[in-house]
């Protein structure tokens, strides 16, 4: 009976040790991915971006070090941008633009920069109707 208890305790300790090792390896591999990812030039986000399915324009004037964007939106007239920011995650640039205006009570673009195609692509949440759909913006030359 004592041998059985010792075996259960030993098995439990071994399982716990394996669990701790697996968690350590997972966390360590994520840090490696972050630290070895190529730095992306945030200034690639600056420019005029035209939505591919309509004549809507996002104009990114400045990409700030504090992760904010100086951005304007036109549909085709100016629509107030409530806030705009960017982030880099695992070597990917992402932006978020929230619109705050008549008929745009919190409509939001969440877009990723795809350097191989030089586009911004992602989701647009249309707040008035409560729907989200996929959109793409190409750079206007």
């Amino acid at each position: 009976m004592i041998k059985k208890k010792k075996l259960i305790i030993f098995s439990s300790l071994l399982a716990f040790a394996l669990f701790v090792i697996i968690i350590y390896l997972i966390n360590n591999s994520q840090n490696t991915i972050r630290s070895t990812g190529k730095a992306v030039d945030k200034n690639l986000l600056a420019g005029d971006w035209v939505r591919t399915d309509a004549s809507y324009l996002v104009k990114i004037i400045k990409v700030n070090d504090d992760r904010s964007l100086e951005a304007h939106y036109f549909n085709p007239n100016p629509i107030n941008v409530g806030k705009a920011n960017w982030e880099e995650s695992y070597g990917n640039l992402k932006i978020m633009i929230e619109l705050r205006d008549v008929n745009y009570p919190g409509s939001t673009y969440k877009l990723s920069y795809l350097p191989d195609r030089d586009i911004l692509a992602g989701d647009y949440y249309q707040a008035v109707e409560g729907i989200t759909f996929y959109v793409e913006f190409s750079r206007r030359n």
Side-chain angles (χ1 to χ4, degrees), residues 125-131:
Y125 172 68
Q126 208 283 346
V128 171
E129 297 193 23
I131 58 173

Side-chain angles (χ1 to χ4, degrees), residues 22-33:
I22 289 170
I23 296 300
Y24 172 78
L25 291 174
I26 289 171
N27 286 336
N28 198 27
S29 68
Q30 289 174 346
N31 289 338
T32 301
I33 291 169

Side-chain angles (χ1 to χ4, degrees), residues 48-58 73-75 109 111-112 114 117-124 133-141:
D48 292 354
W49 299 91
V50 180
R51 215 164 95 179
T52 57
D53 65 336
S55 59
Y56 307 148
L57 172 71
V58 169
Y73 183 73
F74 302 88
N75 178 16
Y109 283 102
L111 307 168
S112 295
L114 305 179
R117 295 177 53 204
D118 193 32
I119 65 168
L120 295 171
D123 291 330
Y124 174 59
F133 52 94
Y134 178 80
V135 295
E136 290 184 358
F137 286 82
S138 60
R139 189 183 300 272
R140 184 168 74 178
N141 294 328

Side-chain angles (χ1 to χ4, degrees), residues 101-122:
D101 213 327
V102 176
N103 296 323
Y104 293 89
S107 293
T108 307
Y109 283 102
K110 292 183 180 178
L111 307 168
S112 295
Y113 176 67
L114 305 179
D116 58 327
R117 295 177 53 204
D118 193 32
I119 65 168
L120 295 171

Side-chain angles (χ1 to χ4, degrees), residues 13-47:
L13 289 173
L14 183 61
F16 179 75
L18 286 173
F19 175 76
V20 169
I21 290 170
I22 289 170
I23 296 300
Y24 172 78
L25 291 174
I26 289 171
N27 286 336
N28 198 27
S29 68
Q30 289 174 346
N31 289 338
T32 301
I33 291 169
R34 266 186 241 123
S35 65
T36 60
K38 293 181 181 179
V40 180
D41 181 6
K42 68 183 186 303
N43 293 308
L44 290 170
L45 297 172

